[in-house]
Amino acid sequence: QGQLVESGGGVVQPGRSLRLSCAASGFTFRTYVMHWVRQAPGKGLEWVAAIWHDGGDKYYLDSVKGRFTISRDNSKNTLNLQMNSLRAEDTAVYYCARELEYGSGSYSVWGQGTTVTVSS
Amino acid sequence: EIVMTQSPATLSVSPGERATLSCRASQNVRSQLAWYQQKPGQAPRLLISGASTRATGIPARFSGSGSGTEFTLTISSLQSEDFAVYYCQQYYNWPPWTFGQGTKVEVK
């Protein structure tokens, strides 16, 4: 089925940067589209970014476009999210998620989440 | 952007009773609709994809129906472990992939 483990969260001041990583195991990482989904405290789920299996296509939530960059290293089975110019409204638990099957768009494997707090 | 609206926000149900959750899409999403369950402090878990196909390991008491803009998740006989928040998500028209705001199923 597979496993995802996020890391890199923490407390950061507004305007600063943070890099999240997601280590994948137990499945053929290079064949799956991967996503980042976040959840602000006490709120619902919000899709953030997606990257195609070969890294060729990337998509972003409008509010993070130009500030966040999704990337992957298929040789290391790792997904990343570089977050720059962080804002208070980016405070959330960030999950990496794997699609059920290539191009399906639903998420069958989730990480445990990593918490990002943007505060002065 | 397709907006997903779930109702009710909170559903109070007694154990053993049936729970019916609704999800409405602002545009036709065909059957490209998933349901997730989330318990406090945990990641979401996929229950249903394709509007009606149960994910691996999901009990038969969970069923999904609908297509187009109206969808329903039914839990036929609520067990103690089913009290949680449920989200619907469309993946027909993207980006963005969008979720509903969630329905909390609580003990009556």
Side-chain angles (χ1 to χ4, degrees), chain B residues 79-100:
Chain B
Q79 306 298 302
S80 58
E81 61 267 28
D82 300 336
F83 292 97
V85 179
Y86 293 83
Y87 295 94
C88 62
Q89 176 224 356
Q90 69 82 22
Y91 48 96
Y92 176 70
N93 191 324
W94 47 263
W97 289 256
T98 50
F99 294 87

Side-chain angles (χ1 to χ4, degrees), chain A residues 1 35 37 39 43-47 49-50 52 59-61 95 99-100 103-108 110-113, chain B residues 1 32 34 36 38 41-46 48-50 55-56 87 89-91 94-101:
Chain A
Q1 177 72 335
H35 298 248
V37 176
Q39 187 168 36
K43 303 297 184 183
L45 302 170
E46 181 178 52
W47 170 82
W52 249 237
Y59 300 93
Y60 299 94
L61 182 68
Y95 297 99
E99 290 191 349
L100 173 63
S104 69
S106 61
Y107 312 131
S108 61
W110 295 71
Q112 84 288 355
Chain B
E1 172 177 334
Q32 306 298 292
Y36 300 88
Q38 188 178 34
Q42 296 185 16
R45 177 174 71 146
L46 178 66
I48 301 284
S49 64
T56 303
Y87 295 94
Q89 176 224 356
Q90 69 82 22
Y91 48 96
W94 47 263
W97 289 256
T98 50
F99 294 87
Q101 79 280 16

Side-chain angles (χ1 to χ4, degrees), chain B residues 2-3 25-26 36 40 44 46 51 53 67 69 73 79-80 84 89 91-92 95 99 101-103 105 108:
Chain B
I2 296 179
V3 176
S26 62
Y36 300 88
L46 178 66
T53 302
S67 66
T69 61
L73 175 69
Q79 306 298 302
S80 58
Q89 176 224 356
Y91 48 96
Y92 176 70
F99 294 87
Q101 79 280 16
T103 290
V105 177
K108 186 174 182 180

Side-chain angles (χ1 to χ4, degrees), chain B residues 2-84:
Chain B
I2 296 179
V3 176
M4 307 301 292
T5 303
Q6 292 185 240
S7 60
T10 303
L11 186 62
S12 298
V13 186
S14 299
E17 288 187 341
R18 172 188 294 259
T20 302
L21 289 66
S22 295
C23 175
R24 173 175 292 179
S26 62
Q27 302 173 35
N28 185 354
V29 299
R30 300 207 174 184
S31 294
Q32 306 298 292
L33 190 284
W35 289 96
Y36 300 88
Q37 177 194 67
Q38 188 178 34
K39 297 179 180 179
Q42 296 185 16
R45 177 174 71 146
L46 178 66
L47 298 176
I48 301 284
S49 64
S52 61
T53 302
R54 277 190 304 277
T56 303
I58 301 303
R61 64 180 180 273
F62 291 92
S63 63
S65 63
S67 66
T69 61
E70 300 285 341
F71 300 88
T72 300
L73 175 69
T74 301
I75 311 171
S76 60
S77 176
L78 269 162
Q79 306 298 302
S80 58
E81 61 267 28
D82 300 336
F83 292 97

Side-chain angles (χ1 to χ4, degrees), chain A residues 29-44:
Chain A
F29 179 72
R30 66 179 184 275
T31 64
Y32 286 89
V33 178
M34 297 295 297
H35 298 248
W36 287 98
V37 176
R38 68 185 179 185
Q39 187 168 36
K43 303 297 184 183

Side-chain angles (χ1 to χ4, degrees), chain A residues 57-76:
Chain A
D57 288 317
K58 303 175 184 181
Y59 300 93
Y60 299 94
L61 182 68
D62 281 349
S63 63
V64 308
K65 212 171 286 185
R67 301 188 299 122
F68 290 12
T69 302
I70 189 172
S71 63
R72 65 192 297 161
D73 185 337
N74 286 343
S75 67
K76 297 181 179 178

